[in-house]
Amino acid sequence: MSNPSPSQTGADREPGVAMTLDRLGHPRVHVAPDYQSLCVAVAERIAHLVQVKPDAVLGLATGSTPIGIYQELVRLHQQIGLDFSGITCFNLDEYYPMDPGDDHSYHTFMQQHLFGSINCRNWQVPDGRERSLETIAEDCRRYEEAIEKAGGIDLQILGIGSTGHIGFNEPGSAPDSKTRLVDLDESTRLNAARDFGRLEHVPHQAVTMGISTILKSREIMLIASGAGKAAIVYTALNVLVTPLVPASLLQNHPNASFWLDSAAAQALEN
Ligand code: F6R
């Protein structure tokens, strides 16, 4: 794979994005000067899809990275009336065990940051309630079925974990994995400790869409912000595709792109 070099032409540049790095193959890499402009650029892409396909199916992520994107979508809804009434959303993951009404649930996160403030009523987060393994497996199968019944995911938004995880597919996750109960890596739990107050309060497991579920999406945008993500972003784009770096599997997707602020892109630009 060739080293990325900054594009000299502005022709393929996305609005709000300072630079598109030309690379052989996929994914394409877009770099915004800062977090705010990154969020505006990504929100514009989502808004465009919602306008041209009012019944679009979105796959959504939680975590700190997409918060600014959701704020911008809420602003577009409230200020220019962007209409989400026809869209369907599926979230990537939920901690297990986790009650949807818990302050730390991803269900609550989505309600607080997005769905409580826009007019989308058709949204689902994987069910994290404690129950038998058989019931969980059956519900995971139904989650897959619901995505398929909705027509498949048009646009999947992803973050990236320091382990290279996408959703909660930690290193070693099978490329053909589907929605399922998984164990969280200790480093993922450590990163989550700031949200839960103490490491001991962070669940050891989660229900996540699988790698194959994610890769079936027609378009994928992976978003990363901050210098703390620079090394794993570089690895995901440059390592030979391997399940040991789950985000590297996006190299095999025909319509995946990385959307970075300059801090997250610093290893690529060097
Ligand atoms: C969350 C998810 C995770 C996060 C990743 C990055 O739904 O699927 O893969 O996207 O852990 O999290 P932040 O954005 O908090 O750095």
Side-chain angles (χ1 to χ4, degrees):
M1 185 176 301
S2 70
N3 282 330
S5 62
S7 168
Q8 295 305 305
T9 73
D12 53 0
R13 205 173 280 169
E14 298 291 335
V17 165
M19 171 167 54
T20 294
L21 301 177
D22 283 333
R23 317 173 66 253
L24 281 183
H26 298 279
R28 303 199 76 202
V29 178
H30 304 284
V31 185
D34 51 42
Y35 177 69
Q36 182 57 27
S37 33
L38 172 67
C39 291
V40 169
V42 174
E44 275 178 17
R45 284 289 295 243
I46 297 172
H48 176 72
L49 175 64
V50 169
Q51 280 168 330
V52 298
K53 189 172 181 192
D55 60 350
V57 179
L58 301 181
L60 297 178
T62 54
S64 53
T65 311
I67 289 177
I69 299 170
Y70 298 152
Q71 276 169 358
E72 180 61 12
L73 290 176
V74 168
R75 191 190 70 74
L76 292 173
H77 172 67
Q78 292 177 344
Q79 293 184 6
I80 66 160
L82 184 63
D83 181 14
F84 293 92
S85 61
I87 67 162
T88 303
C89 298
F90 293 95
N91 260 77
L92 280 166
D93 40 25
E94 179 61 281
Y95 289 110
Y96 183 87
M98 182 60 72
D99 203 77
D102 191 290
D103 280 355
H104 296 108
S105 79
Y106 281 164
H107 188 277
T108 300
F109 177 101
M110 292 308 295
Q111 177 72 34
Q112 280 175 351
H113 290 287
L114 186 64
F115 295 121
S117 307
I118 63 171
N119 63 339
C120 170
R121 301 289 162 256
N122 201 358
W123 59 280
Q124 292 194 49
V125 176
D127 191 345
R129 282 174 298 182
E130 192 160 15
R131 55 217 196 281
S132 73
L133 288 178
E134 293 73 29
T135 313
I136 296 168
E138 175 59 17
D139 289 344
C140 288
R141 203 188 52 71
R142 283 184 209 274
Y143 203 69
E144 294 277 332
E145 223 173 66
I147 294 172
E148 268 170 43
K149 218 169 142 195
I153 293 172
D154 290 300
L155 174 60
Q156 175 68 59
I157 303 297
L158 295 177
I160 182 169
S162 55
T163 60
H165 72 211
I166 49 177
F168 275 137
N169 295 282
E170 299 286 15
S173 297
D176 62 355
S177 55
K178 294 188 170 167
T179 304
R180 69 204 186 289
L181 185 64
V182 294
D183 293 334
L184 296 175
D185 272 21
E186 277 313 293
S187 55
T188 298
R189 293 188 62 245
L190 269 174
N191 287 338
R194 62 171 186 257
D195 300 327
F196 283 82
R198 299 176 64 142
L199 179 60
E200 303 87 271
H201 295 162
V202 182
H204 288 266
Q205 291 184 298
V207 178
T208 182
M209 275 187 203
I211 299 275
S212 78
T213 326
I214 292 170
L215 291 179
K216 268 191 262 173
S217 309
R218 285 183 271 283
E219 180 177 358
I220 299 176
M221 294 168 78
L222 182 146
I223 324 296
S225 164
K229 295 287 170 76
I232 191 61
V233 162
Y234 180 87
T235 303
L237 287 166
N238 290 287
V239 75
L240 286 177
V241 174
T242 169
L244 296 178
V245 183
S248 73
L249 295 162
L250 299 175
Q251 291 179 32
N252 286 338
H253 191 281
N255 195 14
S257 51
F258 277 40
W259 293 70
L260 313 171
D261 62 13
S262 54
Q266 69 194 19
L268 302 175
E269 290 169 19
N270 289 343

